[in-house]
Amino acid sequence: MTESPTDENFTVRHVHPAPRDLVFECLTTPDHLTHFWGPTGTHTPVENIVVDLRPGGAFETTMVSDRGGDTYTMRAVYVEVDAPGYVSWRELDSGVFTEVTFVDLGDGTTEVVTTQRGLPPHMRTPEARAGWGTALQRAATYIAAIAAPEVGS
Amino acid sequence: MALADPTRVAIVARLAGGDATVKELTEPFALTQQAISRHLKVLEEAGLVSRRKAAQARPASLEVDRLVEVLAWVDARRREWVDRHNRLERHLRRLAGGAQAEPGFGGAEHSRRRPGAEHPRRLGGERR
């Protein structure tokens, strides 16, 4: 499966106050990942992280909810690994493809560009939708905005 | 993504105001019907637009529920990464502020902290 350039969901850019080698290491080492992988409201114990950093190697994280201790496992496989400049992986359930590029800005900082591609899975069950209240609200606002007047192109 | 393209966003916005045929959708754009059809196909494959098979003009309809679902999902995923990078930055500042020049952890450049950099927050701070 390949992604076209227009297949992109979003790109997030962040300049980190550290050299490229270290930033790359942080995103590809369980000992580091456990400190920031999250997502917010969850934590990911180091023993819940599998990193086999090579194309075809596993990248798995089992996140634990801070409240209630529910777990959610993200299972992915690395697609391309080119340390310390690039790494990409594909999630097995959804096929969502994430790529991360590390750019040395030459002053000891590193710009990290994270891009995600692929379609979201259909959320069939009411339970799956339940947790999306706020997100749905935001989306509704966004739709209202794009549906408003001028559509020019 | 289906909505990454400005023309497709415009088509979605147009359909939000009511069903439309390819011909009608083509009018506001400096594009061919063929090009509009291609964009519609992408939206259809994403489940965002449906087309009545029966009618000859096959007007397109917006699948609002699916659109909301997709936008919400994308937005949540994007936020997840924004938050993740914020936490990573705090992690990096903690590393820089703590043990100096650990092997593999950078060096002079890296341990140079900006004056007035806020005190690293505790890890648990952002949870919950």
Side-chain angles (χ1 to χ4, degrees), chain A residues 4 9 22 27 33 39 60 74 85 102 112 121 124 127 141 151:
Chain A
S4 70
N9 286 335
L22 176 60
L27 271 155
L33 286 167
E60 297 177 5
M74 190 280 299
F102 304 76
V112 179
R124 293 176 190 86
E127 295 77 50
T141 311
V151 158

Side-chain angles (χ1 to χ4, degrees), chain A residues 129-145, chain B residues 67-69 71-73 75-76 79:
Chain A
R129 289 169 179 272
W132 291 73
T134 357
L136 290 171
Q137 211 65 47
R138 282 199 298 269
T141 311
Y142 178 68
I143 291 165
Chain B
L67 175 63
V68 169
E69 183 180 287
L71 290 175
W73 181 88
D75 189 50
R79 268 159 198 273

Side-chain angles (χ1 to χ4, degrees), chain A residues 20 24 28 53 78-89 97-103 113 115 117:
Chain A
R20 188 162 76 145
F24 184 89
T28 53
L53 194 59
Y78 286 110
V79 175
E80 210 181 316
V81 178
D82 185 11
Y86 180 88
V87 62
S88 61
W89 62 85
F97 179 82
T98 303
E99 60 183 341
V100 189
T101 305
F102 304 76
V103 184
V113 183
T115 302
R117 300 170 196 280

Side-chain angles (χ1 to χ4, degrees), chain B residues 44-98:
Chain B
E44 252 186 295
E45 280 166 4
L48 294 168
V49 159
S50 61
R51 300 185 65 188
R52 268 172 271 154
K53 305 276 183 225
Q56 199 179 357
R58 300 190 63 210
S61 317
L62 188 61
E63 294 293 323
V64 176
D65 287 355
R66 172 65 175 160
L67 175 63
V68 169
E69 183 180 287
V70 167
L71 290 175
W73 181 88
V74 168
D75 189 50
R77 281 282 183 133
R78 190 186 58 78
R79 268 159 198 273
E80 218 171 86
W81 271 105
V82 168
D83 291 348
R84 180 168 292 141
H85 278 296
N86 287 335
R87 288 190 300 269
L88 171 56
E89 182 176 341
R90 285 197 287 274
H91 175 62
L92 288 163
R93 290 191 189 283
R94 273 192 298 271
L95 291 178

